[in-house]
Amino acid sequence: MSNSAETSPERTTKRPLRVAIVGAGPAGVYAADILTKSNEVKDGDFEVSIDLFEAYPAPYGLIRYGVAPDHPRIKGIVNALHKVLDRGDIRFLGNVSYGRDLTLHDFRAFYDAVIFATGAIKDADLDIPGVGLEGSFGGADFVSWYDGHPDVPRDWPLEAKEIAVIGNGNVALDVARMLVKHADDLLVTEIPDNVYQGLKNSPVTDVHVFGRRGPAQVKFTPLELRELSHAKDVDIVLYPEDFEFDEASDEAIRTNNQIKTMVSTLGNWLVEEHAEAEEPSSRRLHLHFLHNPVEILGEKTGDAAHPGKVTGIKFERMRLDGTGNVKGTGEFVDYPVQAVYRAIGYHGSQLDELEYDARRGVIPNEGGRVLGADGKPVPGIYATGWIKRGPVGLIGHTKGDALETIGFLLEDRLTLPPAQNPDPQAIIDLLEERGIQYTTWEGWNKLDAHELALGAAWTASHPDDGVVRERIKVVPREEMIRISRD
């Protein structure tokens, strides 16, 4: 993977620079967009030819399979990504998996540069006793289920009346909101029918969200927080003993408008406590702070193959230490619950033939230049998004991230190891030769139209419901492929 002797300035000006991007979520699409709009391309210094690969038959990655369907900004983000891909200067190739359908060697043969934008879809580990009990779930797995991910089971065991959600980020709030909301209120979203039926039959009455630190240290955003109050027939319950503020908290409230807004919102809810409601709601969403999980409790079976079901969860009460961090009080409290969802973050997955930082769940890199085993940049290989920096930050941060990576690619463009076969048709021939049922942007438009038609048909067949279903998501991979390729 050393620089090639063939490399020269003349080589890059004779033909378009061939770039493969692996991952068609926001990170991949932003990288493609930034590269095509770069000054070097606009000024005619060189041309670029980009192929955007995606493991799923449809584009948009985490926006389609990782964000709650009732998220208020999801449509705007999809529309922005759609506009980029609909221009026609970036080729989308879906249902192609890196490491299974194409190897790094394949990409090297057909492209001058490869950018990995594979994101992070696994749950971060929570190392406490009882994690393996029946009824203990990863939040990311639940998100994949309710978002209609094609590679997860169609059914989800929604049998608990009382549920704990561990985490104080946006994913934890998404998971809690989807668990506590009434299924009929989600019909206006794109949820698949199997998800609607599963949520409709849920016996849930109480969902508890637990965070380790105080109200001024939460990781969610004001928008996500306000969404909680929009759930019908759901009371929000807070606890005065959880409202503790230290010097760092006071400083954060004074200097950060976002934190000030969230603390104010939570404080108002605490005061109101929905006292004006004539009748209590049928479901409750409890927000707890200063709780550190120490054990998931379960029935004892004595059988390692059948570890028993969740019956509760134990926490140590925490207190703020003056810096915004927490320390244990030695006081423990148990809550009776029949299910626990861990939503403490995502973790990136290892990719074939690339180095991997298992602790952080990222590809080792310097500003997006991927590093080899020797710690030096590997010519022509880059990373962007969560697989580059770790699963932190909002979608908007991904643009700045992509800008940095593309900046280095542009710096390196005259010294990239040249593709052996840069003809854009060559990769298509290889995919067809291997029998890979790849999907295209035209195919996505067909699937998009099909999902919209499903929503319109449902709406027409339920005229008395007063609900307009804009779309219904297709779940089975085989059906997505068939519709896309017909």
Side-chain angles (χ1 to χ4, degrees), residues 158-189:
L158 290 162
E159 298 156 358
K161 286 189 174 182
E162 298 158 302
I163 299 171
V165 178
I166 302 171
N168 252 183
N170 285 341
V171 175
L173 286 197
D174 280 354
V175 166
R177 200 173 64 249
M178 290 296 290
L179 285 166
V180 81
K181 244 185 177 181
H182 291 276
D184 285 350
D185 294 333
L186 291 163
L187 281 173
V188 294
T189 74

Side-chain angles (χ1 to χ4, degrees), residues 83-148:
K83 281 179 185 173
V84 173
L85 294 180
D86 205 43
R87 293 195 311 246
D89 57 348
I90 299 161
R91 184 166 64 173
F92 171 75
L93 295 168
N95 199 43
V96 181
S97 284
Y98 173 77
R100 185 191 69 195
D101 300 326
L102 293 176
T103 65
L104 188 61
H105 176 79
D106 294 326
F107 279 108
R108 288 295 217 178
F110 297 101
Y111 299 93
D112 306 302
V114 187
I115 303 171
F116 287 92
T118 50
I121 59 168
K122 289 185 177 177
D123 281 289
D125 290 335
L126 178 65
D127 188 17
I128 62 172
V131 163
L133 288 166
E134 186 182 336
S136 170
F137 304 107
D141 293 335
F142 182 58
V143 171
S144 291
W145 174 75
Y146 68 58
D147 272 334

